[in-house]
Amino acid sequence: MATSAFCNLKPSELQLLNQYKTTNDVKRKQPVFYENDAVKGLHCVHEGKVKLFKTLNDGSIQILRIAKAGDLLGYRGLLGNGKYIATAETIEDSTICFIPKGRIFEFIASNLQFSLGLMSKIASDLSEVENRAINFLQKTSKERLSEALLLLEHSFGTTADGFINILLTREEIAGFTGMAVETTIRTLHTWENEGLVTLHKKHIKLSDKIKLLEISNIEE
């Protein structure tokens, strides 16, 4: 489990952790947990990708973040009010590890470095989500979409043929950027006609990253 918090466990603690850890294969578009359910433990993405989202009053979704291999899930609720703050759902076939909350609290109580690592992870993720939310509020839809595509490529890399190595529906992209689905679709098609992106079903390639960077208005 390649996360900074677990790297701070002693060999004996890691051995104990592995005794209580369970590993589950979760098919694409299946829930890992639901918003407001009681937290039962800590989840870690071993393989695959998972979106964490809230469902808004109009039925649309707001994606808070997309977790990849090595990322932790459910820790904010575990250390907060005891409820998951968002729904977690797999984007692709994934392998998810799970550690019961009682064991996690034992490690928090007995290992200061583990506790600090976990708090550091929470602070980092909170900062990323909050900065993205504040930044997006100040930008136009085109700026938000361009920045989101660049961020996705930076986070997940590209395939051998240059497409971003994550498959998102247009609804998911809209949920990630805070845009209407229709606006997302229209903008992507316009950019495809202008040669900025290449679209093939859910695959997206950034064909003109210099122009997209200009559009995103990302501050250096």
Side-chain angles (χ1 to χ4, degrees), residues 6-19 107 111:
F6 289 104
C7 287
N8 288 319
L9 292 178
K10 302 169 186 175
S12 59
E13 290 171 324
L14 279 173
Q15 186 176 6
L16 181 62
L17 175 69
N18 286 328
Q19 293 178 10
F107 292 133
N111 189 311

Side-chain angles (χ1 to χ4, degrees), residues 11-64:
S12 59
E13 290 171 324
L14 279 173
Q15 186 176 6
L16 181 62
L17 175 69
N18 286 328
Q19 293 178 10
Y20 294 104
K21 179 186 73 176
T22 57
T23 302
N24 301 296
D25 292 326
V26 185
K27 293 294 185 181
R28 172 179 172 272
K29 295 186 69 65
Q30 293 300 306
V32 179
F33 52 76
Y34 291 99
E35 181 180 358
N36 291 324
D37 278 358
V39 176
K40 296 181 175 63
L42 194 62
H43 308 258
C44 178
V45 182
H46 181 67
E47 291 181 359
K49 301 178 182 70
V50 178
K51 64 180 179 183
L52 287 97
F53 67 92
K54 289 179 173 289
T55 302
L56 306 181
N57 292 334
D58 62 0
S60 63
I61 66 170
Q62 177 188 10
I63 295 180
L64 304 180

Side-chain angles (χ1 to χ4, degrees), residues 190-202:
T190 298
W191 286 355
E192 182 179 34
N193 292 333
E194 294 174 350
L196 275 64
V197 300
T198 301
L199 306 176
H200 178 65
K201 298 181 179 179
K202 288 190 291 185

